[in-house]
Amino acid sequence: MTYSLLQLFLIFFYIGTFTIGGGLVAITLMQQTLVEKGVISVEQFYNMVAISESTPGPIGINMATYIGYSQYGVLGGIVATLGEVAPSIICIVIIAHFFMKFHDTPVVKAAFTTLRPTTTGVILVAAMHVVVVALMQVPADISALASLEGWKTVFLWKNVAFYTLALLLLVKPKVHPMIVVALGAAFGILFL
């Protein structure tokens, strides 16, 4: 199934409207909207996630650009990106106009207090999706997980080893994250 350019704009306008908490939330909405409707496959989607995380800029916008480009070329990339950012621009303009008048009111404070844990939960769900796809291969027959041998086959051990190495490089010698991203890209090209 393919969408027209107007539908593509409206889909990303919807995603941009309800992306509260950053790009990982956008990824969840994109997955629900595009993968589950058959526009792109799960494998294409997670390849796009990996590439979008490896390129400079916000991941939600990178994903929108990439998906739009994959559907309609440069024009699709522009349309999807505009759809993704338009709600934020509209909201910022409206909020900037009214925020200074209302930022100390109890209702506004309560809204921001409520949004923080909600956003954290949505980001955790998106992160878990990425972890499952990157580090695990869940069998179609879940009953295989009843044994220890079944669990040994669930993890993609090369990926787990690289993830552990990358985490150690970031924490212990504090290697610059761009170097770790470059190593991740090389790992993906060579071993996956």
Side-chain angles (χ1 to χ4, degrees), residues 125-192:
V125 168
M128 288 309 299
H129 278 284
V130 172
V131 166
V132 167
V133 169
L135 302 180
M136 299 174 75
Q137 182 174 341
V138 180
D141 181 15
I142 299 295
S143 64
L145 300 179
S147 69
L148 183 59
E149 289 300 316
W151 277 101
K152 287 180 182 177
T153 61
V154 168
F155 291 98
L156 300 168
W157 292 106
K158 287 188 297 189
N159 297 12
V160 171
F162 180 79
Y163 174 78
T164 305
L165 174 66
L167 192 60
L168 290 173
L169 287 173
L170 287 170
V171 173
K172 195 66 175 165
K174 295 185 179 180
V175 172
H176 194 279
M178 286 306 299
I179 294 172
V180 176
V181 168
L183 289 172
F187 175 80
I189 291 168
L190 295 173
F191 297 106
L192 300 178

Side-chain angles (χ1 to χ4, degrees), residues 26-57:
I27 289 173
T28 303
L29 289 173
M30 287 178 200
Q31 180 181 20
Q32 291 170 348
T33 307
L34 299 168
V35 175
E36 293 175 7
K37 298 218 189 303
V39 176
I40 57 176
S41 70
V42 174
E43 185 177 343
Q44 287 174 314
F45 181 76
Y46 283 108
N47 286 337
M48 289 178 179
V49 170
I51 290 169
S52 295
E53 284 186 338
S54 301
T55 55

